Amino acid sequence: MEGASTRQHWTLARRLTATLVGSVLVSGTLAFLVHDRALQGGLRENAEARLANAARAGELLVGEHLLQLEERYRTVASAPQLHATLGLGHAPTSRHLAERLGREQDAALIAFLDPDGTLHAQSGEAGLAEAVGRDPTARLVHHGGKLFAVVSVPVALGGRRTHRVLAAEPVGDGLLARWSELCGARLLQEAPPQDGTELLVTPIRAADGAALFVVADLAPERAALASARRKLAVAGCVALVMMLAASTLLARSLVRRIRRVGDALERIGRGELSTRLASRRSDEIGDVARGVDRMAAELAARSDALRESQAHLAKAQRIARLGSFELDLGSGELMASDEFWALYALEALGAGAPELTERIHPEDRGPLLEAVRDSIDAGVGGQLDYRIRLADGSERFLQTQFQVARSDEGKATRLEGTVQDLTERERTAQQIRYLAHHDGLTGLGNRQLFGELVGLATARARRRGRRLGVLLLGLDDFKRINETLGYAVGDELLREVADRLVRGAREAEPTRRELDQGFEPAVVRLGGDEFAVLVGDLEEASDLVDMADHLLHALRRPCRLRGQELVVQASVGVAIWPADGEDVEALLSSADAAMHHAKGDGPGRVQFYDASMNEVAQRRLAVELRLRQALERGELALHFQPKLEIASGRIVGFEALARWHDPELGVVSPADFVPVAEQTGLIAPLGRWVLEEVCRQLRGAEPALARAGARVSVNVSTREFGPHLVEGIAA
C-alpha cells in the first residue's frame, strides 16, 4: 500500500509539477507575446511620430527657405537699376545684369520674363530655364541630378507689374545637412534603397516629379527588441528549471519578477520612459531587467533629442515670427504652435477659429474668408496677406500659407499651414517707398515722384483734352544767404519756402476751378533752391500767370529766422504740355530755360517758355565753356579807354577794359561774358587777370603817366568784394 501510495504521490507530484510547469510555461509565453507586441507597437508608434514631426519640420524649413529667397529677390526686383534696364528692353544689357545678379546672389539661374511670359534674358546653367518653366509659384525643381529652389517675383515698371524675375539657387548637401539637424532626421533627395535595414521613409515637398525624403532608421529599436526577446526567453527557461528544481514558491517568485518586467514594458509602451527596474540580480531575469532599463534610457534619450529638436523649431519660429497651425474642418478644433498664438495675441487655452476671425481687420475679413473657402472647395493651397487688429487697437500685417488635406474619399478634412508676421517688413517697405519719392529736408516730393505725377497727369489730360502747366521756381540770391547766414539758416529758409508754396498752391487753385474736378497742384523740390509746381486740367495759359503771381506774393512776405528778417524772391519759368514738351524731362528743360531767362530780367519775374530761349541757353553754355579755356590759354585782351577833361580836353586817366575775341564765337561782348563769369564764379580769376595784366603793361609807362597825372581805373565786380580783396590787390 505504501508503495502504491508513494507511486500515487510521485504521480501526483509529477502531475502537479507538470501542470505547474505547463501553466508557468503557457502563462510566460503568453505574457512574452503580449509584452513583445506592446513593445513593438510602442517603438514603431514613437518612431512614426518622430518621423511625422520631422517631416512637418522639414516642410516648414523648405517653405521658410523659399520665403526668404522670394523676399530677397523681391528686394532685387525693386532696385532702380533693374527697373531702368528692363524698361530699356535691350536684351544684351538685361543679360549682363542677369549675369551680375547671378554672381552676386550665387544663383544657378537668373532670368527676366517679358509681360507675355517669354524669356527676355537669362544667365546660369544651360537647360535649367526650360526645366523651371514659367510657373510663378515658389517651389523646388529637380534638374540634372541636382535640386534647385526656384522663385518668381514680379517687377513693377511705371506702377504696373510687367516683367518677372525668375531665380533658381541650388539646394546643396550642406543645406540638406542643416535641415536634417534641425528636423532630427535625415533629408535626402532620393529615397534610400531597402538593403535589409528597416527604414521609415516619408516624402515631403514634391519637387518637379521628385521629392525630398525624411528617413529614420529602426535598427536600434529592433536590436533592443531582439535583445529583450532573447533575455525574456532565457528568463523563461531559467524560471522553468528553477520551478522543476526548487518549488512552487520559487516559480511564483519568478513569475512575480517576470510580471514586474512585463509591467515595466507596458509602462514604457505607454510612454512612461522614466520607468526603471534597477535590478541587482545577476541571473537572466536581472539581465532582462537591465536590458529593459537600457532600452528605456535609449528611448528617453531619443525623446529628449526630439523635444530639443522641437524646441529648436519653436525658437526658429520665434526668431522668424512664424507660427504653424492645423484646423480640423469637421470639428473646428484648432491646433497651433505657441508663436501662432503670440502673433494673434491670444491665449491658446480656449481660443479657436471664431476668436481668430474677430482679430482679422474688418476690411480684410470678408475677402480673406472667401479666399479660404474657395481654396477648400478647389482643394488647393494658397498664400494670403492680411491685417489683424489687436486689443489695444494696433495693427499687424500677417501672411499665411496653407494647404488642404483630403480624406481617401476626396473630402477636405483639415487645413495645414503657417502664419508669419510681416509688420516690420511692411513698415520698412513703406518707409523705403516714402524716402525714394520725397525730399529729406522739406518733406516734399522729389524729382522721381514729380516724374510719376507728370506721367499720370499727362494721361488724364490726354483723355480729357486738357493741357498741363509746369512752374519752375528758382530762389534769387539764395547762394548769398547760405554764404552770409550759414547753411542751417538756408535749410530753414528752404523749409519755410516749401510750406509757403504748398499753402499758396492750395489757396490759388480754387480760384481757377473746383477741386473735385481735378487734383490739387503738386509741389516738389527738384534740388538746391529749385521747386516745381504741376498744375493739371489747364484750360487757359493765363491761369498759370495767376498761379505764379500768387506764389510769388506768398514768398515775398517777410519771414524771421534765427533773429534775421528775410524777404525771399524767386524767378519763375513756365512750360505747357504738350506744346513745350511731351515728357517730364522735356517740360523741365523748357521751364528751366524760361526760368533762367526770367532771372536775367531781374528778381521776381515770370517767363513763359519760348523756342528761342534754347538758342540763348546754348549760347550762354558755349560762352561759359569757352571763357574757362580763354582764361587758361590767355586769349583775352586788355584795352585802355581814355578819360578826357571836358574843360581842357586833356587825358586825365584811363579805364582798363577786358575784351575777348574767340576763334569760334567771334567777338564776345562784355555784356555777355561778364554776367556769365559772375554767375559761374569765374569773375574772381578774370579780375585777377585784369589787375595783373594792367600792372604788367603799365610798368614801363609809369613815369609818363605820373608826369601827366593820369590814373588807370579797373572795374571790380560786387562778387569780388570780400575779406581777401585788399590782400589780392596788394599782392
Side-chain angles (χ1 to χ4, degrees):
M1 291 292 296
E2 289 181 1
S5 175
T6 300
R7 284 194 299 273
Q8 291 177 353
H9 283 299
W10 277 106
T11 300
L12 180 59
R14 285 195 300 271
R15 290 177 178 176
L16 290 174
T17 302
T19 301
L20 181 59
V21 170
S23 300
V24 171
L25 183 60
V26 171
S27 62
T29 302
L30 291 176
F32 174 80
L33 293 176
V34 170
H35 297 326
D36 181 73
R37 183 173 295 276
L39 184 58
Q40 288 186 69
L43 291 175
R44 190 167 189 88
E45 287 176 2
N46 286 337
E48 290 175 348
R50 174 167 53 85
L51 185 64
N53 289 333
R56 284 193 293 270
E59 286 280 3
L60 292 175
L61 289 170
V62 173
E64 176 62 19
H65 181 69
L66 291 175
L67 282 176
Q68 291 177 355
L69 283 183
E70 196 167 42
E71 181 59 26
R72 175 149 52 88
Y73 283 101
R74 284 186 189 278
T75 303
V76 172
S78 66
Q81 182 182 1
L82 179 64
H83 290 188
T85 301
L86 295 182
L88 289 175
H90 189 240
T93 304
S94 300
R95 184 166 57 253
H96 176 74
L97 178 60
E99 293 173 354
R100 185 170 65 80
L101 289 177
R103 293 191 299 271
E104 292 176 352
Q105 302 297 330
D106 197 21
L109 171 66
I110 295 292
F112 301 136
L113 304 181
D114 287 337
D116 58 358
T118 60
L119 183 64
H120 175 63
Q122 75 170 49
S123 70
E125 296 189 13
L128 183 55
E130 287 75 15
V132 170
R134 304 296 183 264
D135 188 358
T137 58
R139 64 197 187 284
L140 297 178
V141 172
H142 194 258
H143 173 71
K146 299 179 182 179
L147 193 61
F148 298 90
V150 179
V151 294
S152 177
V153 298
V155 179
L157 295 181
R160 297 181 298 104
R161 293 185 176 181
T162 57
H163 296 71
R164 299 191 71 85
V165 175
L166 185 65
E169 294 191 3
V171 179
D173 294 337
L175 183 58
L176 288 177
R178 290 196 297 275
W179 287 352
S180 299
E181 183 178 355
L182 290 173
C183 292
R186 289 182 297 161
L187 264 70
L188 302 176
Q189 296 186 28
E190 298 180 355
Q194 297 290 342
D195 54 358
T197 303
E198 185 172 0
L199 301 175
L200 288 179
V201 180
T202 183
I204 64 170
R205 184 63 70 163
D208 196 26
L212 283 177
F213 295 88
V214 182
V215 181
D217 189 357
L218 287 179
E221 288 83 356
R222 292 303 178 192
L225 180 61
S227 176
R229 286 173 176 171
R230 290 194 301 271
K231 292 176 181 178
L232 284 175
V234 171
C237 294
V238 171
L240 181 60
V241 172
M242 293 181 67
M243 176 58 67
L244 291 172
S247 64
T248 302
L249 181 62
L250 182 59
R252 290 178 178 177
S253 175
L254 292 175
V255 170
R256 186 169 58 251
R257 296 183 183 279
I258 293 174
R259 183 174 297 168
R260 182 185 173 195
V261 173
D263 292 341
L265 291 175
E266 289 181 356
R267 291 195 297 273
I268 292 172
R270 292 195 299 267
E272 300 177 16
L273 301 182
S274 60
T275 300
R276 296 292 184 273
L277 293 173
S279 176
R280 296 183 179 180
R281 295 175 62 92
S282 58
D283 55 10
E284 288 80 359
I285 295 179
D287 292 340
V288 171
R290 285 186 288 275
V292 171
D293 287 348
R294 287 194 297 270
M295 179 185 64
E298 184 176 352
L299 290 175
R302 296 196 174 194
S303 178
D304 292 340
L306 179 59
R307 283 194 295 270
E308 184 177 356
S309 177
Q310 292 173 338
H312 284 310
L313 179 59
K315 182 178 179 181
Q317 288 185 348
R318 286 194 301 272
I319 295 173
R321 301 286 288 166
L322 178 71
S324 58
F325 68 90
E326 290 186 11
L327 175 63
D328 191 309
L329 299 178
S331 64
E333 182 182 2
L334 178 65
M335 295 181 293
S337 64
D338 294 340
E339 188 60 26
F340 176 90
W341 299 113
L343 291 177
Y344 279 90
L346 289 172
E347 295 292 337
L349 185 61
E355 289 79 7
L356 295 178
T357 303
E358 290 298 322
R359 279 279 195 261
I360 301 174
H361 195 283
E363 296 178 2
D364 298 343
R365 187 179 303 156
L368 176 66
L369 296 179
E370 183 178 357
V372 172
R373 284 193 293 266
D374 292 342
S375 297
I376 294 175
D377 294 339
V380 297
Q383 175 178 305
L384 300 171
D385 295 343
Y386 58 97
R387 296 166 294 169
I388 63 172
R389 181 172 290 173
L390 305 183
D392 59 0
S394 61
E395 293 182 359
R396 283 180 182 169
F397 290 85
L398 300 183
Q399 182 183 83
T400 181
Q401 293 189 2
F402 61 89
Q403 60 185 8
V404 181
R406 291 183 172 273
S407 62
D408 295 336
E409 295 78 17
K411 181 181 179 181
T413 57
R414 69 179 185 276
L415 287 181
E416 301 174 344
T418 60
V419 173
Q420 188 172 20
D421 186 359
L422 303 182
T423 304
E424 290 302 322
R425 189 175 73 183
E426 183 65 24
R427 289 174 180 169
T428 302
Q430 292 175 356
Q431 185 178 8
I432 291 174
R433 287 194 294 271
Y434 179 85
L435 293 176
H437 291 83
H438 290 80
D439 174 50
L441 177 64
T442 63
L444 296 178
N446 57 15
R447 182 180 291 268
Q448 181 176 351
L449 179 61
F450 189 72
E452 296 178 3
L453 292 177
V454 169
L456 295 174
T458 53
R460 175 187 174 90
R462 188 175 287 110
R463 292 193 305 269
R464 296 168 62 91
R466 302 292 183 87
R467 293 178 292 175
L468 301 177
V470 173
L471 283 69
L472 185 62
L473 294 89
L475 302 185
D476 295 326
D477 291 332
F478 179 73
K479 181 179 180 181
R480 178 176 54 83
I481 295 176
N482 273 339
E483 293 174 348
T484 56
L485 301 179
Y487 288 96
V489 175
D491 290 344
E492 291 186 23
L493 179 60
L494 289 176
R495 286 191 286 267
E496 177 65 22
V497 168
D499 292 340
R500 292 190 180 189
L501 290 178
V502 172
R503 290 196 303 269
R506 290 175 179 172
E507 292 168 357
E509 184 66 2
T511 65
R512 191 171 64 86
R513 67 175 187 272
E514 294 296 330
L515 286 178
D516 60 355
Q517 295 179 359
F519 53 85
E520 293 187 17
V523 181
V524 302
R525 182 190 177 207
L526 299 180
D529 61 351
E530 292 187 355
F531 297 82
V533 181
L534 174 64
V535 181
D537 284 347
L538 188 64
E539 294 181 353
E540 299 294 337
S542 59
D543 293 345
L544 296 178
V545 177
D546 297 337
M547 172 70 76
D549 289 341
H550 192 85
L551 295 178
L552 292 178
H553 178 73
L555 292 179
R556 289 192 191 101
R557 293 196 302 269
C559 62
R560 194 168 189 84
L561 300 175
R562 300 194 179 188
Q564 298 287 337
E565 185 173 277
L566 302 176
V567 176
V568 182
Q569 294 198 80
S571 299
V572 183
V574 182
I576 300 176
W577 178 90
D580 299 334
E582 287 285 346
D583 55 26
V584 63
E585 293 301 329
L587 286 172
L588 286 178
S589 177
S590 299
D592 184 70
M595 182 193 70
H596 281 92
H597 194 278
K599 283 183 177 290
D601 293 339
R605 298 299 181 92
V606 179
Q607 178 65 55
F608 279 75
Y609 172 75
D610 184 84
S612 61
M613 294 179 182
N614 280 336
E615 299 178 3
V616 175
Q618 292 174 359
R619 170 74 176 181
R620 180 182 179 278
L621 179 59
V623 168
E624 177 183 346
L625 296 176
R626 298 292 298 173
L627 181 58
R628 293 180 185 274
Q629 298 174 358
L631 287 172
E632 294 172 357
R633 299 172 182 175
E635 295 178 353
L636 278 77
L638 193 64
H639 291 189
F640 294 91
Q641 180 172 284
K643 294 181 181 180
L644 300 178
E645 185 179 64
I646 300 299
S648 63
R650 67 185 184 89
I651 298 175
V652 295
F654 297 89
E655 181 180 1
L657 300 174
R659 293 294 182 262
W660 179 22
H661 183 277
D662 185 80
E664 295 181 5
L665 301 178
V667 177
V668 183
S669 171
D672 291 335
F673 71 80
V674 171
V676 171
E678 290 180 335
Q679 294 172 6
T680 59
L682 294 175
I683 194 65
L686 178 60
R688 284 196 300 272
W689 177 85
V690 170
L691 282 175
E692 292 173 357
E693 188 66 14
V694 167
C695 293
R696 186 185 67 80
Q697 293 190 24
L698 299 183
R699 185 176 295 113
E702 184 175 354
L705 290 175
R707 288 193 300 271
R711 296 180 180 274
V712 178
S713 301
V714 176
N715 294 319
V716 178
S717 171
T718 57
R719 304 274 183 167
E720 296 182 77
F721 281 94
H724 303 294
L725 177 61
V726 176
E727 297 176 3
I729 295 174

